[in-house]
Amino acid sequence: MNYKQLEAFRAFMTTGSTIEAADRLGLSQSAVSRLLSQFEADLGVALFERRKGRLHPTEQAEALLPDAEHMLAGANGFHRHVNQLRLGGPRRTLIRVQMPTTIAHLIMPGVASAFMADHPEAVLEVFSGAYEHGELSVLGREVDMSLLRIPTQNHGLDVAPFMSTEAVCILPAGHPLLRLNEIAASDLDDVDLVLLGRQRPLRHDIDMAFRHARVRPRIRAEVHSVDMACRFVAQGLGVSIVNGLLASLNRDLPIERRPFRPAIEYRFGIATLQGQQVHPLVPALSARIIDALKAAAGADTYRLITPGAEAA
């Protein structure tokens, strides 16, 4: 029995599928199936029934899941303690947070400065990347909290919604389409585009808008953050369709924004691990991030979601 086997076992038991477990762990389906078979053989207990090519957990597997969760939590606690000692010593409090790349670059430096001035015992470890990576990082106990787009793609998260926005079309200064008050997908026929990569949820919504408008997009570049899309547009490489809140953070660039139609809504939430007690500094940091976003973006780019609103 090893740590990888325990991770595969928990991922399969919580998702009910080797495919979804593989997605959560960043492994191939065959690798997960192999880990589960090895785990079952090493324990000498029948954990799964195989029916019509699918695995189904046995009562023994259900009985062992709480122990597996406890062991994984202990291993992650040990890893966290090591990081805390490595980064700041026993009297410091390590807070790990995952953010979209644009927010991490443009908002977090100021947030971190003010937060650590008020909480000198805090040590921050900041990760950046796509929303789906943030979900997996929380589920894998690699971070304490993550700012995500909701609804989420994985179960096992406690998500507190706080803000929504819509997609906008961003254009370089002087672009002919700036004559329009809003830009529809049909207006972008035969227009150079800079789009977010195909794996992003927004890209699926954009592709559907083009498909319904019977427009074949002319893509000049694909990028992997809103900040980079804004900078490509500022260089005159094309126009882009991005999250309106994140686009508003790049006010120093020579770009203009117009509402995109059909409307594409984004909802943001702060996610923590379901059933896990969080350190008191985690909600304090969350509040700082939300306040900084509100101040930097401007009230015309977002709508607040009232506490208690559903995340789905």
Side-chain angles (χ1 to χ4, degrees):
M1 184 176 64
N2 61 45
Y3 185 80
K4 289 283 188 184
Q5 292 171 352
L6 283 169
E7 280 193 318
F9 176 65
R10 179 182 63 186
F12 171 75
M13 294 295 289
T14 54
T15 63
S17 161
T18 54
I19 295 176
E20 291 186 34
D23 287 341
R24 177 173 292 189
L25 298 174
L27 300 173
S28 66
Q29 183 185 7
S30 60
V32 169
S33 297
R34 185 165 57 252
L35 286 168
L36 293 175
S37 295
Q38 293 169 348
F39 187 54
E40 187 177 43
D42 289 345
L43 294 183
V45 175
L47 299 177
F48 313 106
E49 294 178 355
R50 291 156 177 84
R51 301 195 299 266
K52 296 182 179 180
R54 292 180 59 88
L55 291 182
H56 298 270
T58 63
E59 291 183 3
Q60 292 93 322
E62 298 286 358
L64 289 173
L65 180 59
D67 290 333
E69 292 275 12
H70 182 72
M71 294 174 70
L72 286 166
N76 279 285
F78 177 81
H79 181 65
R80 179 189 181 88
H81 196 183
V82 168
N83 278 339
Q84 185 165 324
L85 293 173
R86 177 173 58 84
L87 292 173
R91 297 184 180 180
R92 309 297 292 277
T93 300
L94 174 64
I95 304 296
R96 301 165 300 172
V97 56
Q98 172 96 17
M99 313 292 294
T101 301
T102 299
I103 295 177
H105 288 177
L106 300 179
I107 295 295
M108 277 307 293
V111 169
S113 177
F115 182 77
M116 289 190 288
D118 288 344
H119 302 281
E121 77 280 15
V123 176
L124 293 182
E125 188 172 9
V126 181
F127 301 87
S128 64
Y131 299 118
E132 53 270 26
H133 296 157
E135 292 187 28
L136 297 178
S137 294
V138 174
L139 290 169
R141 294 179 170 85
E142 296 169 10
V143 299
D144 301 294
M145 55 168 281
S146 181
L147 194 155
L148 302 173
R149 185 185 180 188
I150 53 178
T152 57
Q153 300 178 39
N154 293 279
H155 301 292
L157 300 168
D158 279 333
V159 184
F162 67 89
M163 187 180 288
S164 69
T165 187
E166 289 188 355
V168 297
C169 187
I170 52 173
L171 309 96
H175 196 281
L177 287 177
L178 287 173
R179 71 182 187 279
L180 302 176
N181 292 326
E182 58 183 35
I183 295 176
S186 57
D187 296 321
L188 298 176
D189 193 25
D190 205 32
V191 173
D192 288 342
L193 297 173
V194 176
L195 296 183
L196 294 180
R198 291 185 183 88
Q199 71 271 32
R200 298 299 185 91
L202 172 66
R203 178 61 180 275
H204 171 75
D205 296 334
I206 293 171
D207 288 343
M208 289 296 294
F210 284 136
R211 193 171 297 119
H212 289 155
R214 298 185 178 181
V215 169
R216 185 172 183 176
R218 190 168 77 192
I219 301 172
R220 289 291 307 279
E222 286 188 341
V223 297
H224 297 280
S225 75
V226 173
D227 181 51
M228 188 176 295
C230 290
R231 295 181 185 280
F232 271 49
V233 170
Q235 290 294 320
L237 297 175
V239 306
S240 189
I241 303 161
V242 298
N243 180 305
L245 175 72
L246 301 188
S248 70
L249 302 180
N250 287 276
R251 295 183 183 274
D252 60 320
L253 297 176
I255 59 176
E256 300 285 341
R257 292 175 287 146
R258 293 290 187 272
F260 178 73
R261 297 292 179 261
I264 301 173
E265 185 188 27
Y266 291 84
R267 301 177 73 215
F268 289 107
I270 298 289
T272 56
L273 187 63
Q274 196 172 78
Q276 183 83 4
Q277 185 174 6
V278 299
H279 191 279
L281 287 183
V282 171
L285 179 60
S286 299
R288 292 270 188 163
I289 293 168
I290 294 170
D291 287 345
L293 278 173
K294 289 160 57 178
D300 62 326
T301 65
Y302 66 85
R303 179 180 62 85
L304 293 177
I305 299 176
T306 56
E310 294 184 1

